[in-house]
Amino acid sequence: MSDERAIDSARDPFARLRQATRARIALGRAGDALPTRALLDFQLGHSRARDAVHGAVDFDAIAERLPTPSLRIRSQVRDRAEYLRRPDLGRRVHADDLAMFAAGRGAFDLAFVIADGLSAAAVNAHAVALIDACWPRLHGWRLAPLVLGEQARVAFGDEVGAALGARIVAVLIGERPGLSVADSLGVYLTWDPKVGRSDAERNCISNIHADGLSPARAADTLIGLLTAVRRIEGSGVAVKADTAALASLSRGD
Amino acid sequence: MPSYQTRIGARIYRFDDLKSVLACASPRRSGDELAGIAAADDETRVAAREVLAGLPLRRFLDEPLVPYEDDEVTRLIVDTHDVPAFAVVAAMTVGEFRDWLLSYAATTEALAALAPGLTPEMVAAVSKLMRNADLIAVAAKCRVVTGFRTTLGLPGCLGARLQPNHPTDDPLGIAAATLDGLLFGMGDAVIGINPAGDSLADTERLLQMLDELRLRFDIPMQSCVLAHITTSLRAIEHGAPVDLVFQSIAGSEKANRGFGVDLALLREGFDAARTLARGSVGDNAMYFETGQGSALSADAHHGVDQQTMEVRAYAVARAFKPLLVNTVVGFIGPEYLYDAKQIIRAGLEDHCCGKLLGLPMGVDVCYTNHAEADQDDMDTLAVALATAGVNFLIAVPGADDVMLNYQSLSYHDVLGLRHLLKLRPAPEFEQWLQRMSLADANGALPPPAQSAVRRLLALDAR
């Protein structure tokens, strides 16, 4: 083992340092430029990230796999180009779809929203797995119909949660893709959702993907946070300040 | 009440007020459209420029865009305006000012003398009448030299911030990216880490590590952990080796409050950094970052276009004699700068406007994955900025920032620019590179010999 390492670092002085970071270090040089291998690796990462941003979530397939019936709700955004330019429209429910909430409205503890956000790949890959991991552990919670949000941002959940009459909204959303991870899912929790909530009033679990937080571990954290939010009757800074709750969460897995 | 109107053919274009003229005169960008203040069509844009070109520069002194009573940034701009310095252009219209800036009369010396006489609004206004080539040509005439342990902004030099970020602030991971960057001659502007968290303990740990690196290899460099200014102040109280005090800033009091700062707090950071007096060749000890769209995203733009708000942030920076000012131009996202065309234009505007106000401007030539841009576009902007004499550029390993999840320039890119355009690192840093057998006598860095690599890595972080 130690012999192997010695040989490696004789050939590649960066052998040990490479283990310490995902950053693209010690790529070599073609003159002053990137060697072809590194150039194409970069382009592959960027292409995946762009495909994730511009791809479509297969909401039909997701609806079929979910453990509960769902409502399909559009934001006010017409297409991806508008989604990227107009975050304000992605936060609001389409006027024609508001009526769909009438049937679903009730007194709920929690509403889940699955929103496409900035990575269709993340939602396609991880959203159902996360819901599946949470569902059996939510006995005793009054759960609103699950909402599938098209062209939706995090704050879309505020209007949805209010329309459903839910005390907490949890928005599962595709995160902005990086070069090395294009399918990272995030979850945002908001107590007493209503239009105009600020990001400081939310709690976030991020980096749910194959090389990050698994759906099972994310579910542990999510259940812990949900419990804390319900107990404190607040989210965001209020929960972050509750260090005991957070400490028990981080050791929870 | 002045009227803002012009006739083009049969059509009369009227603009409500000065800020509407500026907003409509701006090149098209998504942030102004999001704010609902952009020109409705291209002809309106040109009409606004017609009106703008005919306005006297003085109008911007008489008619503040953000009220004096409501905003401490406006008060700073008005109260520190240098009237004698302004005299040389005081009688000009905005259009005449553009012609003068491009004229042979506007020498490097003349522009430096004029800088304190210009307000952000005048500079933003004239930039809206300039093509990209004008922004490059005028910026190239400006010279802003600052110093700490290296001297930055000298003729023929191109600095680089080495940005070795890591998603969990792992010291070995950061050391790995730092050593790799030093082999490319990066880091003469600063070795600057964006911390993943904002904890005091992490900040102090990273500062300590970078300072040990500096002392071990006797590198003429300055380090910075880009934590909130209050964290840096506490680190200074604890005796941590703080070289530069960092802060993100914006162009209105309310937007700065969104960053958790005001002018008094910035003054506190400035005084604390100065008192440490850790610089050797200069005492510029502040590092600021800005970016178009930050005021709008804080709902603190006062109906003013995002480029003008950006230039107002430079007035804030100017008050604290910074070593470095960096516009993170493509970082903020496509809702502010939609595509490469908008990012490239904004990068050249920010650089030129900052330089005209006398600031040591650098640019993070960058984009996020949801913007319509790629590395080819960054090549275009980087070459343009290096030609325009940008003080420094951001450089990250392989152009991929694995903590902030966006793409900037790679170490390779900045090294290639230096060689292509015959630009050199800061002189103190270049001498160190030569001592380490990394740079040749001309300041160029051919691929390093194995012995030079081992020399740097043999003593790497444990």
Side-chain angles (χ1 to χ4, degrees):
Chain A
M1 187 67 187
S2 61
D3 281 349
E4 247 175 53
R5 212 177 281 161
I7 291 166
D8 268 348
S9 104
R11 207 170 26 198
D12 174 11
F14 272 91
R16 198 168 66 87
L17 290 174
R18 277 183 216 279
Q19 309 301 313
T21 181
R22 278 208 327 263
R24 292 167 199 253
I25 62 166
L27 299 176
R29 284 169 61 172
D32 296 333
L34 286 175
T36 304
R37 175 74 269 144
L39 176 75
L40 293 178
D41 284 348
F42 183 99
Q43 290 182 357
L44 182 62
H46 189 230
S47 66
R48 285 177 174 160
R50 285 186 55 79
D51 288 347
V53 169
H54 294 280
V57 171
D58 188 347
F59 281 116
D60 291 337
I62 286 177
E64 272 178 33
R65 288 160 56 210
L66 284 170
T68 179
S70 54
L71 300 172
R72 186 97 162 247
I73 307 285
R74 293 169 296 167
S75 80
Q76 294 181 3
V77 165
R78 283 167 302 186
D79 54 30
R80 260 294 100 163
E82 186 172 67
Y83 181 88
L84 295 173
R85 285 175 196 268
R86 295 291 303 270
D88 52 331
L89 299 180
R91 297 182 188 121
R92 299 304 301 269
V93 173
H94 195 289
D96 296 350
D97 290 1
L98 278 169
M100 295 174 69
F101 291 116
R105 193 176 163 81
F108 299 113
D109 297 314
L110 173 62
F112 278 104
V113 176
I114 297 177
D116 39 12
L118 283 169
S119 172
V123 176
N124 286 330
H126 311 301
V128 174
L130 181 57
I131 294 288
D132 281 343
C134 292
W135 215 253
R137 299 169 64 175
L138 289 167
H139 284 304
W141 288 69
R142 291 169 300 170
L143 298 170
L146 202 147
V147 167
L148 303 176
E150 288 181 38
Q151 305 284 14
R153 301 225 170 217
V154 170
F156 178 80
D158 296 342
E159 189 170 5
V160 169
L164 288 170
R167 304 211 309 163
I168 304 174
V169 67
V171 179
L172 282 58
I173 190 165
E175 297 185 315
R176 194 183 87 200
L179 221 54
S180 45
V181 181
D183 65 341
S184 180
L185 189 75
V187 184
Y188 290 81
L189 291 188
T190 311
W191 171 260
D192 189 16
K194 57 186 178 193
V195 173
R197 286 282 179 220
S198 79
D199 288 342
E201 297 173 289
R202 309 186 201 284
N203 295 97
C204 171
I205 303 166
S206 123
N207 270 309
I208 302 166
H209 56 84
D211 295 326
L213 208 55
S214 68
R217 284 188 51 192
D220 288 341
T221 310
L222 181 53
I223 297 292
L225 265 178
L226 282 169
T227 309
V229 167
R230 185 162 67 164
R231 178 165 49 80
I232 294 168
E233 303 203 333
S235 56
V237 182
V239 174
K240 280 176 206 157
D242 191 348
T243 46
L246 280 185
S248 68
L249 287 176
S250 59
R251 280 188 235 111
D253 46 44
Chain B
M1 185 69 191
S3 92
Y4 300 103
Q5 63 176 51
T6 189
R7 177 195 291 272
I8 298 179
R11 191 168 160 193
I12 292 173
Y13 289 89
R14 281 197 187 83
F15 302 94
D16 291 342
D17 51 20
L18 190 51
K19 61 187 175 189
S20 173
V21 175
L22 286 169
C24 290
S26 278
R28 186 181 178 196
R29 59 198 49 180
S30 48
D32 292 333
E33 290 173 335
L34 178 62
I37 57 176
D41 54 40
D42 283 335
E43 189 169 306
T44 305
R45 228 181 302 281
V46 177
R49 287 177 196 163
E50 293 270 6
V51 172
L52 185 59
L55 293 179
L57 281 179
R58 283 185 183 284
R59 181 66 53 80
F60 296 99
L61 295 174
D62 300 339
E63 200 179 327
L65 303 178
V66 181
Y68 185 92
E69 305 72 35
D70 300 348
D71 185 89
E72 66 172 1
V73 176
T74 300
R75 292 196 287 277
L76 173 72
I77 292 166
V78 172
D79 296 348
T80 60
H81 182 239
D82 185 334
V83 176
F86 177 59
V88 63
V89 296
M92 293 182 190
T93 63
V94 179
E96 289 164 349
F97 183 42
R98 172 187 173 273
D99 293 343
W100 182 84
L101 286 173
L102 289 159
S103 77
Y104 290 9
T107 59
T108 299
E109 296 71 27
L111 289 169
L114 173 63
L118 294 177
T119 66
E121 289 81 0
M122 296 174 192
V123 170
V126 75
S127 76
K128 296 177 195 299
L129 302 180
M130 294 163 77
R131 278 178 38 199
N132 285 3
D134 302 342
L135 296 168
I136 293 169
V138 170
K141 294 199 280 186
C142 297
R143 173 107 25 245
V144 181
V145 178
T146 56
F148 192 77
R149 291 195 195 95
T150 59
T151 308
L152 300 166
L154 291 169
C157 289
L158 171 62
R161 167 183 164 195
L162 197 167
Q163 184 171 300
N165 295 342
H166 187 279
T168 59
D169 293 337
D170 176 65
L172 186 61
I174 287 174
T178 302
L179 293 169
D180 190 34
L182 289 172
L183 291 170
F184 283 80
M186 303 296 106
D188 56 333
V190 64
I191 299 182
I193 304 167
N194 297 88
D198 199 46
S199 86
L200 179 60
D202 281 351
T203 296
E204 290 182 328
R205 196 159 47 92
L206 295 174
L207 285 168
Q208 208 67 49
M209 184 195 78
L210 289 180
D211 209 47
E212 280 167 21
L213 176 78
R214 173 178 77 85
L215 295 170
R216 187 177 302 158
F217 291 103
D218 194 21
I219 313 174
M221 59 166 262
Q222 40 277 338
S223 64
C224 186
V225 173
L226 284 72
H228 192 264
I229 191 167
T230 50
T231 306
S232 296
L233 278 166
R234 284 164 68 206
I236 290 173
E237 279 169 26
H238 282 207
V242 175
D243 288 342
L244 306 182
V245 170
F246 168 82
Q247 186 54 47
S248 293
I249 53 170
S252 73
E253 182 178 340
K254 186 180 175 196
N256 282 324
R257 217 180 298 130
F259 284 130
V261 299
D262 57 18
L263 294 178
L265 182 57
L266 294 174
R267 173 71 54 187
E268 210 180 309
F270 172 76
D271 289 340
R274 281 248 162 149
T275 308
L276 291 178
R278 288 170 55 85
S280 51
V281 301
D283 63 354
N284 302 106
M286 298 298 284
Y287 175 8
F288 292 117
E289 285 192 349
T290 65
Q292 290 190 28
S294 59
L296 175 59
S297 75
D299 191 25
H301 61 296
H302 297 272
V304 177
D305 69 274
Q306 67 180 32
Q307 190 251 342
T308 302
M309 289 309 286
E310 168 73 6
V311 187
R312 282 170 55 94
Y314 304 154
V316 175
R318 179 161 72 167
F320 303 104
K321 302 181 170 49
L323 180 75
L324 309 161
V325 178
N326 176 38
T327 167
V328 299
V329 62
F331 183 73
I332 306 189
E335 61 267 45
Y336 303 104
L337 296 168
Y338 184 68
D339 57 13
K341 182 176 175 62
Q342 296 187 7
I343 292 170
I344 289 169
R345 169 79 196 180
L348 295 173
E349 286 169 350
D350 292 353
H351 174 247
C352 182
C353 291
K355 283 281 175 73
L356 279 172
L357 289 173
L359 288 173
M361 290 303 295
V363 179
D364 192 353
V365 174
C366 66
Y367 60 101
T368 56
N369 283 318
H370 56 323
E372 287 295 318
D374 63 19
Q375 225 58 26
D376 291 337
D377 301 311
M378 299 305 104
D379 293 341
T380 302
L381 178 55
V383 171
L385 284 166
T387 309
V390 70
N391 279 31
F392 66 98
L393 296 168
I394 304 294
V396 304
D400 171 16
D401 190 306
V402 294
M403 198 282 279
L404 294 172
N405 275 329
Y406 77 117
Q407 285 86 250
S408 181
L409 297 178
S410 66
Y411 300 154
H412 298 71
D413 294 329
V414 179
L415 180 69
L417 277 176
R418 280 180 177 161
H419 290 169
L420 179 70
L421 299 173
K422 310 277 184 281
L423 300 168
R424 306 168 76 134
E428 301 85 356
F429 196 80
E430 181 182 292
Q431 285 160 21
W432 176 79
L433 290 169
Q434 287 163 342
R435 288 204 296 279
M436 296 295 289
S437 308
L438 292 170
D440 66 18
N442 300 317
L445 275 80
Q450 280 289 304
S451 58
V453 176
R454 296 196 161 278
R455 187 172 163 201
L456 198 59
L457 297 199
L459 295 165
D460 65 5
R462 305 110 191 210

